[in-house]
Amino acid sequence: MVRLITHNLLACHVKRCTTNNFPLQLKDVQLALREAEFNADFLRGFMPRLEWTALVQAACQVGDDSLPLEAPEMVDDEFLKNLHHVLLEIHIEEGAMVCPNCQHVYPISNGIPNMLLAENEIG
Amino acid sequence: MSQYLIVFAQAHEEFRLPELLSVAELHHFDLAVPDDLDVTRPFAVFTLDKEEHARLLARRCILIKSVYEFYARGTTYEELHQQNKAARPKWEKYTPDTSFKFVVNGYNQSIPKARQREVIENFSYMDFLGKIDLKTPEVTMGCFEEYRDTVGNTRHKHEGDGNFREAFFGRLLEEGTARSLIKKFDVKKRLYFGNTSMEAEISLLMANQTLASPGKVIYDPFVGTGSMAYTTAHFGALVFGSDIDGRQMRGKGGISNISDKLLDSVLTDAEQRPGIMRAAAQYGVEQRVIDLCTFDVTQNPWRCGEMFDAIITDPPYGVRAGAKRLGRKKERGMPAVPSQPRPDDQPYIPPTKPYELADLAADLVVLARYLLKPGGRLVFFLPTVTDEYREVDINTMLCGGMEVIANSLQDFGAWGRRLVTIRKTTCESFPPPTFESHAEEGEVEGAHIPAHKDFRGKYFQGFKKEFGTPVEAERTQDGG
Ligand SMILES: C[S@@+](CC[C@H](N)C(=O)[O-])C[C@H]1O[C@@H](n2cnc3c(N)ncnc32)[C@H](O)[C@@H]1O
Ligand SMILES: [Zn+2]
């Protein structure tokens, strides 16, 4: 868990941390690979929601360089397969996500990220 | 176009029609609601374009017991047989040499064997020449007598027509196969559950209201022990869950209730895995639970909106899993205490302030408008005091672009809860909601105060206007 799709959808939400608060940096991550069901319609439909550059970077950091640097206009099967693997099959089990702006550390344990803020961090 | 007789399971009347309409929408066909439909009755006749549509309903609706090709109905048998004779072209093809059986059933009253035989004999004009096969007939003809109440169910063997409200006749098309899922998702047999877990039947009905299907993404922001994650994932959807309390999703470690052997057979890298993932694996939907996150939904880290096809949730009523949000009750003048981010698997005694149910409901709708794709659905429970509920209560929590499409009461007597389904009708994008404090004291003069306002207080007061003795609280079904 903490699949890269999730990593791509979470931003630091500490109060007043509104710029450069995404993507969260991966730190000391332990990975697991698990097969997931392939669904081309889901992938095509979800692409517009993704921050592409952040996804490619995160994938590279965990050792997957199968994605093109720019999101392609035309998607083929091969591309969708790679996208599927990157989004859904790479799990971060342990480690942390760190805000590049305010340095807040969001720890991940047993696959669940703790995104709770401390009292002085809420708006 | 043909007519179909739907025989409903005897539960959750108000959920029957919303479920049919949802499943029809899911499969992209029209379901015309008959003018005379009375959902409190267990039989209903619908006109559908294709037989396949009737089958799709039977395979997905939790509240369908069976679906028949409809031939006749009547308040007397005379009327019913007259109609059935006129319907000859529909059943004629089964008469020459199709194996068959007849079943006669009563609703509210059971029909004595001898009279069942009489009823069947009165269909002899249909002239079925095939052989009778009680085990595996090619066709099953069903006759149902609907009684208004259970009075008079000890009947003399040779009594004539019972004094039924109406009788229905047709050919069995399909048994309602989705009902068996209620057993599959039985909370007591689940590897992980808690005192907030939602009963299986309702979790399934909720999942149907979301139109869960492969390729959809569904979110539960108060996921707790994950009851609705399993049912939506079962129907193929990908699921996100979050909760302010990580222990709800993880479990407190140590799994009671099941034998070690069973554990070993299901689990691989066992103990450490969050409880929700253990249960998801039991149901074979582990890979569809995309992620679980710990956060306060009013302080959420979602980077953008318009991501989800549906939001399904049982918000904290404040009865069992209290509604809370980060922050202190009297914040003003408090020095900001620098504190560390806290681990989410430790006992949690956070600085939280109570979260009024009416505020929470209104916030949830605004959040859903932000997070849902256009056309997406918000499906959630709203507890309410039965006597005080007014239709307008629901409107107090709506915002532009969000429309109520179903609202079904599950009645527990003094209180109940309403399963509300709201559709996002707007294609506009909205900024993320701010969850600003709602007017704390002194409501706007003349504004409608919904009956779910201060539900917790009313619950513990036993729903008496003033200092009454609390009624015995529902033990198993307060859901929250
Ligand atoms: C009624 S329970 C939901 C139960 C869930 N359907 C299940 O199957 O167990 C409500 C949940 O909301 C959580 N909760 C309360 N306030 C919250 C908040 N502000 N943000 C997120 N979760 C919250 C509680 O920890 C609790 O698990
Ligand atoms: Zn930050």
Side-chain angles (χ1 to χ4, degrees):
Chain A
M1 326 248 303
V2 188
R3 309 193 205 199
L4 295 192
I5 184 175
T6 310
H7 172 259
N8 201 265
L9 297 173
L10 299 175
C12 178
H13 55 123
V14 166
K15 110 182 116 170
R16 286 190 285 276
C17 183
T18 49
T19 52
N20 189 31
N21 59 341
F22 175 87
L24 301 174
Q25 291 156 1
L26 303 177
K27 205 177 137 228
D28 303 332
V29 295
Q30 283 174 35
L31 303 176
L33 295 182
R34 295 197 192 96
E35 225 173 280
E37 287 161 322
F38 179 83
N39 186 320
D41 291 337
F42 159 72
L43 294 169
R44 280 200 198 90
F46 213 83
M47 271 184 68
R49 303 269 54 125
L50 298 171
E51 275 287 342
W52 193 258
T53 310
L55 183 68
V56 175
Q57 272 175 19
C60 282
Q61 264 186 61
V62 297
D64 187 299
D65 57 5
S66 63
L67 294 180
L69 292 178
E70 307 251 319
E73 308 258 294
M74 299 282 283
V75 301
D76 58 23
D77 286 355
E78 158 103 22
F79 166 79
L80 286 176
K81 265 213 196 119
N82 293 336
L83 180 60
H84 166 76
H85 179 69
V86 166
L87 284 179
L88 296 172
E89 299 191 322
I90 304 172
H91 298 242
I92 302 166
E93 296 294 306
E94 301 291 330
M97 296 184 284
V98 183
C99 174
N101 185 42
C102 74
Q103 307 302 316
H104 182 106
V105 177
Y106 297 97
I108 299 168
S109 76
N110 298 312
I112 298 183
N114 179 0
M115 309 300 291
L116 279 167
L117 300 178
E119 200 179 341
N120 58 328
E121 297 173 319
I122 58 182
Chain B
M1 286 243 281
S2 271
Q3 286 185 300
Y4 298 91
L5 169 67
I6 295 183
V7 182
F8 290 109
Q10 289 162 40
H12 309 305
E13 297 168 358
E14 289 198 12
F15 295 66
R16 289 170 176 167
L17 184 59
E19 186 184 43
L20 291 176
L21 291 169
S22 291
V23 173
E25 184 173 330
L26 172 66
H27 291 291
H28 311 289
F29 65 85
D30 280 332
L31 182 80
V33 181
D35 295 333
D36 61 345
L37 181 74
D38 175 354
V39 291
T40 65
R41 297 175 64 180
F43 304 101
V45 177
F46 283 84
T47 304
L48 296 169
D49 283 343
K50 291 184 186 148
E51 183 180 293
E52 182 59 17
H53 297 166
R55 293 188 185 277
L56 289 168
L57 292 174
R59 288 172 200 159
R60 181 70 189 256
C61 291
I62 305 303
L63 295 178
I64 290 185
K65 218 160 124 188
S66 47
V67 176
Y68 285 72
E69 184 187 16
F70 171 76
Y71 296 150
R73 67 198 286 178
T75 51
T76 62
Y77 269 117
E78 203 184 0
E79 204 181 319
L80 182 142
H81 285 303
Q82 208 180 339
Q83 257 190 42
N84 190 40
K85 284 171 188 166
R88 177 176 285 275
K90 294 184 184 166
W91 45 259
E92 213 167 26
K93 52 182 170 291
Y94 305 114
T95 58
D97 63 354
T98 309
S99 69
F100 70 98
K101 80 168 173 187
F102 271 74
V103 292
V104 180
N105 266 308
Y107 170 74
N108 268 339
Q109 296 193 11
S110 58
I111 300 167
K113 275 264 141 45
R115 215 179 77 76
Q116 288 187 25
R117 237 170 283 131
E118 271 173 35
V119 169
I120 294 170
E121 271 158 27
N122 290 337
F123 283 97
S124 58
Y125 60 87
M126 291 176 81
D127 227 1
F128 272 69
L129 300 172
K131 72 171 193 312
I132 296 175
D133 184 343
L134 297 181
K135 286 230 173 77
T136 52
E138 288 165 82
V139 294
T140 298
M141 313 302 280
C143 184
F144 302 90
E145 296 180 0
E146 177 191 1
Y147 291 86
R148 281 180 198 276
D149 50 43
T150 52
V151 182
N153 52 4
T154 45
R155 195 192 302 268
H156 191 268
K157 272 186 190 160
H158 297 293
E159 202 178 341
D161 284 4
N163 185 23
F164 51 74
R165 179 180 191 175
E166 204 173 358
F168 298 85
F169 182 66
R171 174 181 62 88
L172 178 65
L173 190 67
E174 193 133 344
E175 299 283 2
T177 42
R179 271 198 84 62
S180 66
L181 293 173
I182 298 172
K183 266 217 187 88
K184 171 167 180 177
F185 289 98
D186 185 356
V187 173
K188 286 186 246 83
K189 289 185 246 144
R190 192 173 292 165
L191 290 179
Y192 176 66
F193 61 90
N195 66 357
T196 61
S197 296
M198 178 69 73
E199 65 207 87
E201 186 166 14
I202 298 287
S203 304
L204 288 158
L205 288 172
M206 291 178 81
N208 273 348
Q209 285 307 99
T210 67
L211 311 181
S213 56
K216 297 222 173 129
V217 188
I218 296 183
Y219 173 44
D220 185 346
F222 302 105
V223 73
T225 62
S227 306
M228 288 89 76
Y230 314 124
T231 53
T232 41
H234 170 82
F235 291 122
L238 298 170
V239 185
F240 276 104
S242 64
D243 200 287
I244 196 170
D245 186 350
R247 294 168 306 160
Q248 291 287 327
M249 303 180 286
R250 296 172 188 276
K252 288 164 193 143
I255 306 150
S256 54
N257 220 315
I258 47 160
S259 69
D260 290 347
K261 211 169 134 207
L262 184 58
L263 247 182
D264 286 343
S265 68
V266 185
L267 305 177
T268 43
D269 46 329
E271 298 85 53
Q272 298 297 305
R273 300 170 65 210
I276 290 185
M277 297 316 290
R278 297 196 300 261
Q282 174 187 8
Y283 297 127
V285 297
E286 201 185 1
Q287 41 167 289
R288 295 186 191 147
V289 179
I290 299 190
D291 262 304
L292 303 169
C293 305
T294 310
F295 57 78
D296 174 350
V297 73
T298 71
Q299 307 280 339
N300 71 72
W302 293 120
R303 173 178 60 75
C304 59
E306 291 171 66
M307 295 190 285
F308 303 121
D309 295 279
I311 291 176
I312 184 172
T313 202
D314 180 24
Y317 298 174
V319 177
R320 218 168 240 164
K324 48 197 175 216
R325 53 191 296 194
L326 298 178
R328 290 198 191 267
K329 203 169 178 185
K330 298 258 184 304
E331 274 175 315
R332 255 160 300 163
M334 273 268 261
V337 194
S339 57
Q340 294 296 308
R342 33 162 248 95
D344 71 342
D345 52 358
Q346 307 276 306
Y348 184 31
I349 310 155
T352 55
K353 51 187 181 186
Y355 196 0
E356 220 292 309
L357 181 72
D359 297 343
L360 187 155
D363 284 348
L364 182 60
V365 178
V366 179
L367 177 72
R369 182 174 64 173
Y370 171 63
L371 289 177
L372 287 174
K373 299 177 190 167
R377 288 179 169 205
L378 166 64
V379 177
F380 72 105
F381 264 112
L382 184 72
T384 192
V385 184
T386 309
D387 285 347
E388 295 175 25
Y389 174 79
R390 299 287 172 273
E391 205 58 44
V392 57
D393 288 358
I394 299 291
N395 297 334
T396 60
M397 64 196 194
L398 284 184
C399 57
M402 298 294 275
E403 227 170 72
V404 175
I405 55 172
N407 174 0
S408 314
L409 175 68
Q410 188 184 12
D411 196 345
F412 300 129
W415 72 287
R417 55 182 182 186
R418 294 186 164 270
L419 183 63
V420 181
T421 306
I422 291 176
R423 193 201 324 258
K424 175 171 170 179
T425 53
T426 176
C427 295
E428 247 175 87
S429 296
F430 291 84
T434 55
F435 298 98
E436 262 155 26
S437 295
H438 298 246
E440 289 255 302
E441 278 129 279
E443 302 287 326
V444 184
E445 198 71 40
H448 177 77
I449 299 171
H452 53 266
K453 176 128 179 113
D454 191 29
F455 179 79
R456 185 174 197 272
K458 290 171 181 167
Y459 184 93
F460 286 117
Q461 261 190 44
F463 303 109
K464 299 276 163 57
K465 285 270 142 61
E466 263 153 287
F467 328 91
T469 355
V471 290
E472 174 72 5
E474 278 296 331
R475 272 176 205 292
T476 51
Q477 301 206 294
D478 64 0

